[in-house]
Amino acid sequence: MHLSLASNGFSDALVILGAAGLVIPAFARFRISPVIGFILVGLLVGPAGLGALVPQAPWLYYITISDPESIEPFAEFGIILLLFSIGLELSFKRLWAMRRLVFGVGAAELFGSALFIAVALQFFGQSWAAAIGLGLALSLSSTALVLPIAGTERAAGKAAFAMLLFEDVALVPIIFLLGALGPAASDEGWVGLADIALTGSISVVCLYIAGRFILPRLFGQAARAKNPELFLAASLLVVIVASLVTSAAGLSPIVGALLAGLLIAETEYHSEVEVMTAPFRGLALGVFLITVGMRLDWRYLAENGAMVTGAIVGVMLAKTIVTAALLRLSGARNSTAIETAVMMASPSETTLIVLGVATAALLIDPQTAAFWTAVTAIGLTITPLLAKAGQVIAREIEQRTGELPPEAEVGREGPGTVIIGFGRVGRTVADLLRAHGKTFVAVDANIESVTDARRAGYPMIFGDVSRAELVDRLNLGRADALILTMDEPVLTVRLTKRVRGWLPDLPIIARARDQDHAAELYKAGATDAVPETLESSLQLAEAVLVDLGVAMGPVIASIHEKRDEMRKGIQHAAGLDREPRIRRVRQSAAE
């Protein structure tokens, strides 16, 4: 089959794939969420961006999206896969434990925000039916953007997930409710709502029963075949079937996707399924975000910028106030309540669906729908920024209210040992320093790691050591030693070289990725560089040889020989006049 660039579908697919190839690495390089990049790409290549210039410059056809509607099904599939992956990370036991948050706080948040917004809109002249429709639409928050940012492990992530889950379940009843409120509606709308509740419940129960019996056997057969393509096909088949069943029953397909993930999470194959489907999920979610960007119109925003900005601020304030108040009443900490509320303040991708339904039901006119579509698209664009702002505000609240110990201070007498990077390696080093009575200060650029560590009592500083001013704050001239455990090879070498340039006598012990990286660190001035793969591989080989029946003496001799070989290799590559200290101290040697 011959594919031509003149084909709209083929040309648009190339634009999307090219955008993914450029946006993800480019924004990752600057530590910016690719969410913003995809939305900006959609704005740039969409019909309101460069696409509007195609008649004047035909060559732009090849770098723009000419048929936005054709890619929307792929975007919807991305959201389905996202909910499926969330289900894989949960379990029915954990979901049951969250029932109070889901059906208590989640329901109160949705309808409380809707009521708040509806009252405000009626004050500005909307009819009560239109105000209800817009209130329900704008009270929804973005599952596709919030959950990947928040996760489901932290307190703020758990609260956000509970409320978003209720919103996803309530989406279809909201759609039927708006149809019943329309001027041309009859009692059939309310009857349809009751039918949806009954058939939806039956479909969920049937999927649960069938999944418990069928899925272990299905994935067992796929695993025995040892064919990755078959395993992937089985995974996608489960998602599609579950989504079709809930769609046929009148529920949202994302409910079926979430249920499919929950069912697979109860099997021993959930990790493999998650790995298999991750690339599809990321790409499809990127397509969705591009469609969001294509809904923005530069000219409309320029003409109505003040009104759009005011509407965004008003909606975010209303949702933040309601969400934070409900979470505080439910017992959440101040910091958790504020972080969750700010993160969920913007409208959702499902807001666009509800706006379309409200327009079709004649509750709102097309011009009003276009205005709130622009508000929603911009709100989605700033969601990552809101999440970051929520984290910063939460950290300030924790410090001021005493929920979190204050940031560690570096006195004039010096910080003791400075640990930069506080993942598993950094924490282990800190525990050993503490066990031997040595003072230390740890630095990390991940606010979650810093927050968790400070709650556990570790002296922590939040900051990015690539910034010179932070390194100057550490008072390294009076430090006992500098330990670098970051998993960033280039930054580790650069920081080692910089510190060694003005502190020639400071012991610098660095974590190296491999032998070549260790040699680079020695060249940069590290006192000791410890390759993380070296000792683990030698210990693994030792265990294997002993288990295979080789005598302990020859095994130890060969391990020492291999270690000496690696040591000399690093010494030669780094041009050292001494052998690097990479040997493992045995208990017998210590005694």
Side-chain angles (χ1 to χ4, degrees), residues 56-403:
Q56 291 78 31
W59 62 271
L60 288 174
Y61 166 84
Y62 300 105
I63 59 171
T64 58
I65 295 176
S66 53
D67 187 10
E69 289 77 15
S70 66
I71 67 172
E72 288 190 358
F74 299 99
E76 294 170 6
F77 188 56
I79 299 174
I80 288 173
L81 286 178
L82 174 67
L83 266 292
F84 173 66
S85 67
I86 292 167
L88 287 173
E89 297 174 2
L90 296 171
S91 65
F92 283 103
K93 182 178 179 181
R94 184 178 173 191
L95 196 58
W96 178 251
M98 297 173 62
R99 64 189 183 279
R100 186 173 67 88
L101 270 176
V102 174
F103 296 102
V105 179
E109 183 271 335
L110 174 62
F111 297 119
S113 298
L115 180 62
F116 199 143
I117 295 171
V119 170
L121 289 174
Q122 195 171 29
F123 177 79
F124 283 103
Q126 293 286 344
S127 67
W128 68 270
I132 290 175
L134 289 171
L136 288 170
L138 297 169
S139 62
L140 299 169
S141 300
S142 176
T143 301
L145 300 188
V146 170
L147 282 182
I149 296 172
T152 56
E153 296 299 327
R154 300 187 302 112
K158 290 177 182 177
F161 172 75
M163 290 182 283
L164 290 167
L165 179 58
F166 182 83
E167 291 179 5
D168 292 334
V169 172
L171 177 60
V172 172
I174 287 173
I175 290 173
F176 273 83
L177 175 64
L178 295 183
L181 291 175
S186 63
D187 291 340
E188 292 180 0
W190 300 103
V191 173
L193 193 60
D195 288 341
I196 289 297
L198 178 61
T199 56
S201 300
I202 294 173
S203 68
V204 169
V205 171
C206 290
L207 281 173
Y208 174 79
I209 295 173
R212 299 286 289 190
F213 287 98
I214 296 174
L215 290 186
R217 294 170 174 79
L218 174 65
F219 285 105
Q221 289 291 337
R224 280 189 286 273
K226 297 182 179 180
N227 187 329
E229 290 80 8
L230 182 59
F231 206 91
L232 175 61
S235 304
L236 295 178
L237 176 65
V238 171
V239 180
I240 293 170
V241 169
S243 300
L244 288 175
V245 169
T246 52
S247 296
L251 294 176
S252 170
I254 60 180
V255 176
L258 179 65
L259 182 60
L262 286 168
L263 289 169
I264 295 177
E266 301 292 328
T267 71
E268 59 188 8
Y269 307 103
H270 66 278
S271 296
E272 185 70 14
V273 172
E274 188 173 1
V275 171
M276 286 284 187
T277 56
F280 296 90
R281 182 179 70 248
L283 180 59
L285 184 58
V287 176
F288 159 72
L289 295 171
I290 289 175
T291 63
V292 171
M294 290 190 299
R295 294 174 184 270
L296 293 173
D297 189 329
W298 291 100
R299 293 177 294 274
Y300 185 85
L301 293 177
E303 294 171 1
N304 302 276
M307 291 180 60
V308 170
T309 303
I312 293 172
V313 172
V315 169
M316 290 195 304
L317 280 176
K319 294 177 68 175
T320 299
I321 292 170
V322 172
T323 304
L326 289 171
L327 286 173
R328 284 294 296 134
L329 289 174
S330 70
R333 298 196 314 268
N334 285 326
S335 55
T336 300
I338 293 297
E339 181 182 353
T340 307
V342 173
M343 183 166 51
M344 296 183 60
S346 61
S348 166
E349 62 278 357
T350 50
T351 298
L352 303 173
I353 299 173
V354 178
L355 286 175
V357 172
T359 305
L362 303 180
L363 292 174
I364 59 177
D365 57 70
Q367 186 176 0
T368 302
F371 174 81
W372 290 108
T373 296
V375 169
T376 301
I378 295 178
L380 285 167
T381 305
I382 64 175
T383 296
L385 304 179
L386 292 175
K388 191 68 175 179
Q391 292 176 357
V392 172
I393 295 171
R395 188 170 71 251
E396 291 296 322
I397 291 174
E398 287 178 327
Q399 290 178 354
R400 293 183 181 182
T401 61
E403 292 181 0

